[in-house]
Amino acid sequence: RTEMKNLNSLRASARAIESESKRQITLLENGQQVIQETRRWDESKEVSVAMRSKEDARDYRYFPEPDLPPLYIDEEWICEIRNRQPELADEKMERFQKQFAIPAYDAAILTSDKYLAKLFEETVELCGKPKEVSNWIMVETMRLLKEQEIEAEQIRFTPVQLAKLIEMLDTGKINRTVAKEVFEQIFMENLDPEEYVEVHGLGMVSDDRLLCSVIEKIIHDNQQSVADYKRGKTKAFGYLVGQTMKEMKGKADPSKVNQILKEMLDKPVSL
């Protein structure tokens, strides 16, 4: 709305812009209009003063350039360009919440980095478990990125590897403790999680007879904890579960351990 004269330095230009901004805001807040005019900047007083008014564009000597033909932009072409633009972070965050039913906080973290967003979407496409994928990225991935002091774009593991890990956990082939160990390995070494589990014998023990045998041994070796449990001390049960998991080297299904152990402890003693 205004043209400023007497600007002799970048510093003067910056101060004039700030002063003019405040002047125009004050006028608008007081219900007044900002008229088109030329003003002169007074550097010593750090204010501008009106020189002359200009009522329309002709006063600014705007006129067509005779050597440049008019440029007409087709609306269809504009729409085509607009449709080719990438999805912005705010749009992606809103879409993640609606499409994958994840909280706003999760969506904000996942869309804070282009690579994290890509990793999330591609992994979900493979395994179909958005909340689980979100948890692995937001907790374990972010933790390791911080520990290794690297950026998300330097992540070596692929969506295929993370999807495999989540499927193994979901189907009970490994428990969550083992899954975290395996995840660290694929993060650091870019390994296939299925091969790693097989080579290192980390798969869950599915033999119920073996599990029952181990639990019977734990009960036999920890009679005091058994007695404490029967007297209502719930911590004793947790201790027995822990001893069983230790004996099984973490390769037992905790829920199954709880179930079998409780059944054995609650079994009436035959006379």
Side-chain angles (χ1 to χ4, degrees):
R1 301 293 292 171
T2 59
E3 177 185 0
M4 195 69 69
K5 299 289 188 181
N6 197 36
L7 299 174
N8 302 316
S9 66
L10 290 175
R11 184 180 180 185
S13 298
R15 290 185 174 181
I17 290 171
E18 183 178 0
S19 173
E20 182 62 13
S21 173
K22 291 179 180 178
R23 186 186 74 84
Q24 291 191 20
I25 288 173
T26 300
L27 286 173
L28 294 172
E29 288 181 343
N30 291 331
Q32 299 174 275
Q33 290 185 339
V34 179
I35 62 172
Q36 293 187 136
E37 62 182 345
T38 299
R39 300 182 67 85
R40 179 177 60 81
W41 176 248
D42 188 327
E43 180 66 18
S44 61
K45 297 180 181 179
E46 295 190 7
V47 295
S48 63
V49 293
M51 293 178 65
R52 56 184 176 272
S53 64
K54 294 180 177 180
E55 295 182 358
D56 54 42
R58 288 193 300 274
D59 292 328
Y60 288 93
R61 299 183 62 77
Y62 294 153
F63 55 87
E65 164 58 54
D67 294 329
L68 293 177
L71 177 63
Y72 298 103
I73 300 177
D74 185 79
E75 186 64 31
E76 185 177 343
W77 183 77
I78 294 176
C79 291
E80 181 185 339
I81 297 299
R82 184 182 293 116
N83 293 334
R84 292 210 306 261
Q85 297 307 302
E87 186 179 33
L88 299 178
D90 288 346
E91 296 171 340
K92 192 181 294 291
M93 181 172 67
E94 184 177 350
R95 178 172 65 81
F96 276 14
Q97 293 177 68
K98 293 179 179 178
Q99 182 177 347
F100 302 114
I102 60 175
Y105 178 79
D106 294 36
I109 297 296
L110 294 169
T111 56
S112 65
D113 184 278
K114 182 179 179 180
Y115 188 86
L116 289 181
K118 182 172 181 288
L119 175 64
F120 170 76
E121 280 203 272
E122 291 185 359
T123 307
V124 171
E125 187 176 350
L126 292 168
C127 70
K129 299 176 178 62
K131 184 56 181 172
E132 189 73 11
V133 176
S134 174
N135 289 340
W136 279 100
I137 294 176
M138 292 179 58
V139 180
E140 296 301 320
T141 303
M142 299 301 285
R143 174 180 67 82
L144 291 170
L145 286 175
K146 184 176 181 181
E147 289 180 3
Q148 299 300 313
E149 297 182 343
I150 60 176
E151 300 298 326
E153 62 185 20
Q154 295 173 277
I155 290 175
R156 298 175 62 193
F157 70 87
T158 65
V160 172
Q161 291 166 310
L162 180 54
K164 279 186 179 181
L165 181 68
I166 291 172
E167 287 292 346
M168 293 170 70
L169 178 61
D170 188 61
T171 55
K173 292 182 179 179
I174 57 175
N175 59 32
R176 194 162 292 274
T177 301
V178 171
K180 289 181 179 181
E181 176 188 336
V182 176
F183 181 77
E184 287 202 22
Q185 293 302 315
I186 67 173
F187 184 94
M188 302 297 293
E189 304 293 338
N190 191 22
L191 302 170
D192 182 274
E194 292 178 333
E195 290 182 8
Y196 184 85
V197 168
E198 184 177 353
V199 169
H200 293 82
L202 297 175
M204 295 273 276
V205 174
S206 57
D207 189 340
D208 285 359
R209 288 183 298 179
L210 174 59
L211 189 54
C212 287
S213 175
V214 171
I215 292 176
E216 286 176 353
K217 178 179 180 299
I218 295 300
I219 291 174
H220 180 270
D221 294 344
N222 295 273
Q223 287 299 306
Q224 183 58 53
S225 295
V226 173
D228 289 343
Y229 168 76
K230 291 183 179 297
R231 286 197 297 267
K233 295 184 178 180
T234 55
K235 287 185 178 180
F237 185 82
Y239 175 78
L240 293 169
V241 170
Q243 290 301 300
T244 303
M245 295 300 293
K246 183 179 179 181
E247 184 72 20
M248 297 294 296
K249 296 181 172 57
K251 295 188 290 183
D253 182 350
S255 61
K256 185 169 286 188
V257 170
N258 276 266
Q259 177 190 343
I260 296 175
L261 179 61
K262 193 171 190 312
E263 287 175 356
M264 288 187 177
L265 291 174
D266 294 344
K267 186 186 298 183
V269 179
S270 57
L271 300 177

